[in-house]
Amino acid sequence: MNHKVITIDGPSGVGKGTIAIMIAEELGYNYLDSGSLYRSLALKLYEKNNNFDEVLKNLDYWISDIAIDFRYKDGQKAQIFVNNEDFTDKIRTEKVAILASNIAKDPIARDMLEKYQRKYLSAPGLVADGRDMGTKVFSDANTKFYLTASIEKRAERRLNQLKDQGISANLPALIQKLLLRDKADTERLISPLIPAKDAIIIDTSDIDASEVFNRTINIIRDNLKNI
Ligand code: C5P
């Protein structure tokens, strides 16, 4: 078992990122937003060639000169760079999320990004959020959570996040996009979005972030006591 890894998986809009950051700050652990890697790779590929059928046929070639890295500045969220270009803000749209979901079904892309994700496992510990953190990438994690919520609540949260980032969207269209992405993520053959067998499932529809944080941190502290 990997004693110092906490995984938080689930679909978009359940509050994974918020909770993962709160836990990471509380424990002084590193934080990995694995979705931002999928988004960055997908957007870079799209900029190179927007015909994804063609790209996916020869992905080894298209990804060969792509390098992604996170850079931290004191007290700020990580910035993400692709071949030294700042991608932090431009990966946040739903269009990029859907591109990411297309790329995420390919084993070559997943292998590439899994290597990046493992690099984040360093002292004192890691909180990783995504779709397959607990089932695949850190399957030996100490504590695994799987967050869910109703589609209406998830879409509302995504809408607010997008608004905060200055991106306009409307609720019915967003619901359709999230459902499309859920379908692609849960039905893909490799690393589909499902709770790990040993994950603790929390429905966040009717509880706020501080309540989810309290529940999760108590469980984590109990588990850390036992190691
Ligand atoms: O978490 P986020 O919404 O940024 O993820 C964007 C997309 O990247 C997801 O819909 C999913 O297709 C893919 N993804 C994945 N595995 C992860 C994280 C994200 O397949 N661990």
Side-chain angles (χ1 to χ4, degrees), residues 9-13 16 33-39 91-92 94 96-105 110 117 129-133 137 158 181-182 184-185 188 191:
D9 288 304
S12 177
K16 299 186 300 289
D33 166 9
S34 61
S36 67
L37 289 168
Y38 283 91
R39 287 169 182 260
I91 57 170
R92 288 295 145 205
E94 270 309 302
V96 174
I98 289 169
L99 294 176
S101 189
N102 274 317
I103 289 299
K105 61 185 185 223
R110 297 204 77 85
Q117 289 157 24
D129 89 48
R131 303 295 185 289
D132 61 340
M133 297 295 96
V137 182
R158 277 296 293 151
R181 206 138 61 89
D182 286 356
D185 288 346
R188 70 175 172 234
S191 291

Side-chain angles (χ1 to χ4, degrees), residues 2-8 20 23-24 27-34 72 116-129 133 137-138 141-143 220 224:
N2 206 317
H3 297 316
K4 295 296 176 82
V5 181
I6 316 293
T7 59
I8 307 188
I23 295 171
L27 299 176
Y29 283 13
N30 302 306
Y31 165 57
L32 168 66
D33 166 9
S34 61
Y72 295 88
Y116 278 95
Q117 289 157 24
R118 289 188 185 286
K119 284 192 202 154
Y120 286 83
L121 182 48
S122 60
L126 178 70
V127 185
D129 89 48
M133 297 295 96
V137 182
F138 301 109
N142 175 293
T143 309
I220 294 165
L224 290 176

Side-chain angles (χ1 to χ4, degrees), residues 38 41 45 56 59-60 63 102-117 190:
Y38 283 91
L41 179 63
L45 289 169
L56 287 170
L59 194 59
D60 267 328
I63 64 174
N102 274 317
I103 289 299
K105 61 185 185 223
D106 191 286
I108 295 171
R110 297 204 77 85
D111 270 1
M112 172 190 182
L113 295 181
E114 192 167 324
K115 288 189 190 100
Y116 278 95
Q117 289 157 24
I190 45 164

